[in-house]
Amino acid sequence: MVGKRVEARKMAIQSLETAPSATLFHRPLAYISAEHLRQRVLCSVLDEIADEDGADRVKIDVALRFIKTSIGPHVMDEEEDLFPLLRRRAEPDDEINAILGQLSQEHASDDLDARLLVDGLPSFKTRKMPASQRASFRDLLRRFATNERRHLIVENAIVLPLAHARLTLADLDTLGRRMAARRGLSYPEKIDAE
């Protein structure tokens, strides 16, 4: 059992430290899906940090780095590019505007919680956070993870399938290019399959 936990910890850390391949910018919805998987790993790690009362400093550092560097660009991918494209391409029967509006509100709320996590995780890790605040911080960790999971369910079950159905090849090309640029990466040249 201990060996499985050690392996699971190692895989979680590796997942959070490894961004999806830049070649996926040619398939930006696949890139977003890969980021969603990493976010689910983050949720599990945050729950573990809360349960362990911050004992695993490496997991805290990796989670903190992920929150600081990966969540922001991902939310911008959705808010600045994917959601506007979907609003333009959706048909009236898709009824996507209310869902996208709700997701945007959740992004704003999650951003506030993410800032609290970034501010609190260093003192939680070093146990310099007063005991009276540690319990509420553990609740924040769990709340953020729960909210993210619920958010990801809607995006994976509704938004991404609709994007696959409605976005044009030109839309996807633009989306991928903007996602690469947002991360300071060059859009990869297409490699023809042999």
Side-chain angles (χ1 to χ4, degrees):
M1 189 67 152
V2 172
K4 287 184 181 183
R5 272 188 261 155
V6 169
E7 187 61 26
R9 178 184 179 275
K10 179 181 170 186
M11 290 173 61
I13 289 169
Q14 183 178 8
S15 174
L16 293 179
E17 290 182 325
T18 308
S21 170
T23 60
L24 284 180
F25 289 127
H26 286 291
R27 297 175 40 229
L29 301 178
Y31 190 99
I32 290 171
S33 291
E35 280 294 301
H36 285 176
L37 287 174
R38 293 175 74 215
Q39 289 173 11
R40 288 191 63 84
V41 170
L42 174 69
C43 293
S44 295
V45 167
L46 293 178
D47 282 338
E48 291 168 8
I49 290 169
D51 291 344
E52 298 163 353
D53 199 28
D56 192 329
R57 293 178 177 203
V58 173
K59 278 198 287 195
I60 292 173
D61 288 339
V62 171
L64 183 59
R65 219 171 10 258
F66 184 87
I67 293 168
K68 285 180 172 180
T69 62
S70 296
I71 290 181
H74 175 77
V75 170
M76 290 172 68
D77 293 340
E78 293 175 346
E79 292 291 335
E80 295 181 12
D81 296 308
L82 178 61
F83 292 1
L85 282 169
L86 268 176
R87 283 186 174 100
R88 279 197 299 268
R89 299 290 181 218
E91 296 178 5
D93 288 347
D94 294 335
E95 299 180 6
I96 194 68
N97 285 327
I99 292 169
L100 296 179
Q102 179 64 36
L103 289 172
S104 292
Q105 288 177 343
E106 290 173 9
H107 280 152
S109 175
D110 291 345
D111 181 58
L112 293 174
D113 282 348
R115 290 174 195 219
L116 293 172
L117 290 174
V118 167
D119 290 344
L121 277 169
S123 60
F124 189 73
K125 174 181 85 170
T126 59
R127 301 198 179 269
K128 292 184 179 175
M129 181 178 284
S132 60
Q133 294 176 7
R134 291 184 76 77
S136 61
F137 193 77
R138 283 194 304 275
D139 291 343
L140 171 64
L141 289 162
R142 291 183 185 107
R143 180 180 75 222
F144 184 84
T146 298
N147 291 343
E148 278 298 301
R149 284 185 184 103
R150 188 171 40 249
H151 187 89
L152 290 169
I153 288 168
V154 173
E155 289 183 348
N156 290 334
I158 299 170
V159 175
L160 290 179
L162 186 62
H164 279 287
R166 299 288 185 244
L167 299 186
T168 67
L169 291 176
D171 292 337
L172 294 171
D173 184 67
T174 299
L175 178 60
R177 289 179 185 280
R178 288 184 49 90
M179 288 168 60
R182 185 169 287 119
R183 289 161 178 80
L185 301 172
S186 298
Y187 188 72
E189 296 298 319
K190 278 200 173 183
I191 299 171
D192 293 327
E194 294 182 13

